[in-house]
């Protein structure tokens, strides 16, 4: 006896492929071209990014789901998961740099040694910026220096 899929099972598979295709909408074209996708599918995904009408976008998502039937979904899922992981790590690094900046701005130069212990390197430019922050007279100067402190910390944490 043959194992025929029920209509409901086929519909669930189609919807899963459609949702996977929807996740692709909004990715840069270069990223899409690196994935194992047909040119027709990439063009449909790029077209969906420019559609603002709700019903037209829904129809475009259905077309993407239909075109996804001809693509092996596992490599696409793996690529999307890797991109998602990279994004989470990037956000985590950003938050960590913000926290260090806030600690150093509040606590001053003594907390720099803690940061240097974490990063494993001294940053003389960062020391200079923290010292300059105490001498600032205007709010605009302080904002500029805080921004530069963040950049230095972010760079140091990312080059560990």
């Amino acid at each position: 006896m043959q194992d025929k899929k029920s209509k409901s099972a086929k519909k669930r598979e189609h919807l899963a492929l459609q949702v996977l295709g929807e996740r692709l909408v909004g990715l840069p074209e270069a990223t899409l071209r690196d994935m194992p996708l047909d040119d027709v599918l990439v063009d449909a995904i790029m077209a969906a990014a420019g559609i603002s009408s709700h019903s037209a976008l829904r129809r475009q998502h259905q077309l993407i789901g239909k075109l996804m039937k001809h693509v092996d979904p596992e490599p696409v899922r793996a690529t999307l998961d890797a991109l998602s992981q990279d994004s989470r790590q990037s956000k985590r690094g950003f938050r960590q740099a913000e926290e260090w900046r806030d600690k150093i701005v509040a606590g001053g130069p003594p907390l720099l040694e803690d940061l240097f212990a974490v990063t494993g390197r001294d940053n003389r430019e960062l020391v200079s910026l923290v010292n300059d922050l105490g001498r600032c007279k205007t709010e605009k100067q302080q904002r500029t220096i805080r921004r530069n402190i963040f950049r230095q910390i972010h760079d140091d944490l990312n080059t560990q």
Side-chain angles (χ1 to χ4, degrees):
M1 185 169 179
Q2 287 181 323
D3 288 333
K4 281 190 134 188
K5 292 182 184 175
S6 69
K7 186 176 178 181
S8 296
K10 288 179 185 177
K11 189 170 184 178
R12 279 191 298 272
E13 287 178 8
H14 175 73
L15 287 175
L17 290 174
Q18 184 176 330
V19 168
L20 181 63
E22 289 174 18
R23 287 180 60 194
L24 297 172
V25 175
L27 289 178
E29 186 174 358
T31 304
L32 293 172
R33 297 270 179 218
D34 290 342
M35 291 183 185
L37 303 174
D38 298 341
D39 288 337
V40 175
L41 178 57
V42 172
D43 292 341
I45 293 168
M46 296 307 296
I51 296 175
S52 60
S53 169
H54 176 71
S55 58
L57 186 59
R58 182 183 53 79
R59 286 190 302 273
Q60 191 70 14
H61 285 163
Q62 288 174 340
L63 172 65
I64 291 169
K66 182 178 177 182
L67 294 172
M68 288 289 294
K69 287 182 189 178
H70 307 294
V71 175
D72 182 14
E74 289 312 310
V76 175
R77 278 192 189 100
T79 303
L80 285 173
D81 290 344
L83 289 172
S84 176
Q85 181 67 24
D86 290 346
S87 176
R88 281 192 296 271
Q89 287 175 340
S90 175
K91 287 176 185 175
R92 190 177 310 121
F94 194 88
R95 274 193 308 273
Q96 193 177 25
E98 283 181 328
E99 290 169 3
W100 272 108
R101 181 209 46 212
D102 293 344
K103 285 181 194 176
I104 290 171
V105 166
L111 291 176
L112 286 173
E113 293 305 320
D114 295 340
L115 176 66
F116 296 157
V118 169
T119 61
R121 56 183 275 216
D122 287 353
N123 185 335
R124 292 296 148 211
E125 189 172 342
L126 183 58
V127 171
S128 173
L129 286 169
V130 171
N131 290 331
D132 291 346
L133 184 64
R135 291 185 231 127
C136 286
K137 299 207 182 337
T138 66
E139 180 63 32
K140 184 177 178 182
Q141 289 174 329
Q142 289 178 352
R143 265 196 321 267
T144 301
I145 290 178
R146 281 195 302 265
R147 191 175 309 121
N148 290 335
I149 288 172
F150 170 80
R151 287 181 183 142
Q152 289 292 320
I153 293 170
H154 191 260
D155 290 346
D156 285 354
L157 289 172
N158 286 334
T159 57
Q160 288 186 26

